[in-house]
Amino acid sequence: MKALYTASVHIDGGRDGKVHSSDDMLNLSLGMAKELGGGGKGANPEQFFAAGYGACFESAVRHVARTKKIAVTKSSVDAEVDLHNREEGGFNLAVRLKVSLPELDRATAQALLDAAHQVCPYSNATRGNIPVEITLV
């Protein structure tokens, strides 16, 4: 399968390191969250995942709306990503997306969310792997 786009980043130092994209659009220091025992002085992987999933999901909503000829000029997503310990060891994630589509009636907006959840690559990657809760607000 031919890739439509490839994102390329270099990470050095893990959660307390740096991340730099090949196109120079991303160049950040990383820092372990205070809740995990770090200093909280930089972005962390859970924030990147929340930002990526939230932005991608909102784009999926707008894509589905365009294909269905539904006008959406106002939308937003609040994304939360939890890091959990797994009973068997290691860690797992859980995601909550709270989506606002203030111009649409509730039934139309919910239908867009349901369709976007089938289109969004983050939704497709996480489906069946981690809990994902998508709520219309």
Side-chain angles (χ1 to χ4, degrees):
M1 178 183 320
K2 185 177 187 250
L4 297 173
Y5 169 73
T6 300
S8 179
V9 298
H10 177 78
I11 299 93
D12 186 24
R15 286 181 175 270
D16 284 318
K18 295 191 178 295
V19 61
H20 180 258
S21 64
S22 60
D23 62 3
D24 292 323
M25 296 302 292
L26 183 65
N27 189 359
L28 297 171
S29 294
L30 302 174
M32 190 172 301
K34 287 182 181 180
E35 297 84 350
L36 299 176
K41 299 279 186 199
N44 63 61
E46 292 73 32
Q47 290 170 322
F48 286 133
F49 194 81
Y53 199 159
C56 190
F57 193 82
E58 186 174 353
S59 290
V61 168
R62 288 173 175 265
H63 169 78
V64 170
R66 276 191 308 276
T67 63
K68 295 182 179 286
K69 299 190 183 338
I70 299 170
V72 172
T73 60
K74 295 180 185 177
S75 63
S76 65
V77 175
D78 291 314
E80 298 175 332
V81 172
D82 299 325
L83 179 66
H84 296 277
N85 282 310
R86 295 176 61 200
E87 288 181 19
E88 58 274 13
F91 304 93
N92 207 352
L93 301 173
V95 175
R96 286 179 306 285
L97 302 177
K98 298 172 185 169
V99 184
S100 174
L101 293 165
E103 302 165 311
L104 302 179
D105 65 83
R106 191 153 191 88
T108 302
Q110 187 62 54
L112 282 181
L113 296 190
D114 294 344
H117 193 42
Q118 298 305 310
V119 171
C120 176
Y122 279 78
S123 292
N124 289 329
T126 58
R127 188 173 291 110
N129 295 313
I130 65 171
V132 174
E133 179 183 317
I134 301 171
T135 306
L136 178 63
V137 294

